[in-house]
Amino acid sequence: DQQVKQNSPSLSVQEGRISILNCDYTNSMFDYFLWYKKYPAEGPTFLISISSIKDKNEDGRFTVFLNKSAKHLSLHIVPSQPGDSAVYFCAASEETSGSRLTFGEGTQLTVNP
Amino acid sequence: NAGVTQTPKFQVLKTGQSMTLQCAQDMNHNSMYWYRQDPGMGLRLIYYSASEGTTDKGEVPNGYNVSRLNKREFSLRLESAAPSQTSVYFCASNNRAYVNQPQHFGDGTRLSIL
């Protein structure tokens, strides 16, 4: 039972354009959502998060949107840069403390110069 | 600024051998976690330690044991390695006493079991 799902294994965008990565979940008890970025041979690096009491959170070029009724979140990167090329994982936790994360499968983002 | 340190970075084992993966964090976090990542899949939680002295099973605990040695260190042991345990193992930590605390990850241990 895949509780967090990223349906697009890969995404390719042009430098300067918007990248939109999507994530769906099935567990209505999830209370805290995160996006991680992962380069090859490194561990995941925290990017941005959102609590279930909000529907949007921004940090520089990165914005996360949460639609609780649709059980859907998305990550927008504007403008996209070649250094953003990495695998992006969404993750969710039933606890606001961020314990016991459930991860999606990941989306490989490639930003072309 | 080390963060979460995992050793070793790579290891090859034969089926039936045992091994302990080490993890240490220097961020004074109270909670620590072990995940595994397999090709085409997200990270899956093996075991976690909410605080020093406690450990709990995650999603995929079979074949593993853990020890929370002190606040800084959390080890993962494979008693009798099997080919199905070939994976990349990540350790993470956070401060579970507060809300909205992202987990911070080490760079992983790549384990191959022949």
Side-chain angles (χ1 to χ4, degrees):
Chain A
D1 176 21
Q2 188 74 20
Q3 296 188 66
V4 177
K5 197 144 183 63
Q6 295 175 253
N7 288 312
S8 299
S10 62
L11 175 68
S12 182
V13 300
Q14 287 299 119
E15 182 178 5
R17 305 295 291 268
I18 184 170
S19 295
I20 300 176
L21 295 96
N22 294 302
C23 180
D24 296 296
Y25 63 95
T26 57
N27 185 349
S28 57
M29 300 299 290
F30 285 145
D31 213 16
Y32 180 50
F33 302 87
L34 309 90
W35 284 95
Y36 283 86
K37 174 174 154 179
K38 186 182 181 304
Y39 293 118
E42 294 184 9
T45 302
F46 170 70
L47 198 55
I48 192 169
S49 65
I50 188 166
S51 162
S52 62
I53 62 173
K54 294 186 173 182
D55 55 17
K56 178 182 174 182
N57 189 27
E58 287 182 83
D59 185 0
R61 297 185 297 115
F62 303 92
T63 303
V64 56
F65 295 92
L66 175 62
N67 183 333
K68 282 186 294 183
S69 61
K71 294 190 176 66
H72 178 83
L73 68 156
S74 60
L75 174 68
H76 293 208
I77 306 174
V78 183
S80 301
Q81 299 172 354
D84 295 330
S85 297
V87 177
Y88 288 78
F89 290 98
C90 69
S93 173
E94 292 186 21
E95 301 176 30
T96 56
S97 62
S99 177
R100 298 186 59 120
L101 295 178
T102 300
F103 281 82
E105 307 94 324
T107 297
Q108 171 71 57
L109 173 66
T110 302
V111 180
N112 301 303
Chain B
N1 191 11
V4 178
T5 303
Q6 293 184 236
T7 55
K9 294 191 186 304
F10 303 93
Q11 186 70 48
V12 179
L13 293 178
K14 292 182 180 178
T15 298
Q17 286 186 314
S18 62
M19 166 157 198
T20 300
L21 281 61
Q22 306 287 354
C23 175
Q25 52 90 11
D26 63 2
M27 295 174 283
N28 201 35
H29 286 165
N30 56 1
S31 300
M32 298 184 73
Y33 311 83
W34 277 105
Y35 294 86
R36 61 179 285 175
Q37 186 194 9
D38 300 302
M41 299 182 72
L43 284 71
R44 291 182 293 168
L45 183 65
I46 304 171
Y47 268 95
Y48 69 103
S49 171
S51 60
E52 190 177 351
T54 69
T55 60
D56 285 288
K57 295 178 181 179
E59 181 186 352
V60 287
N62 291 344
Y64 305 95
N65 286 302
V66 291
S67 295
R68 182 74 183 268
L69 304 170
N70 48 55
K71 189 172 186 179
R72 289 187 65 246
E73 298 172 288
F74 188 38
S75 63
L76 178 73
R77 182 159 178 86
L78 287 70
E79 290 291 352
S80 179
S84 61
Q85 294 177 304
T86 293
S87 189
V88 182
Y89 291 84
F90 291 101
C91 177
S93 69
N94 75 344
N95 209 342
R96 195 167 170 265
Y98 303 98
V99 297
N100 300 342
Q101 295 296 304
Q103 292 181 21
H104 298 266
F105 285 80
D107 282 339
T109 293
R110 283 146 189 84
L111 184 60
S112 292
I113 298 157
L114 307 176

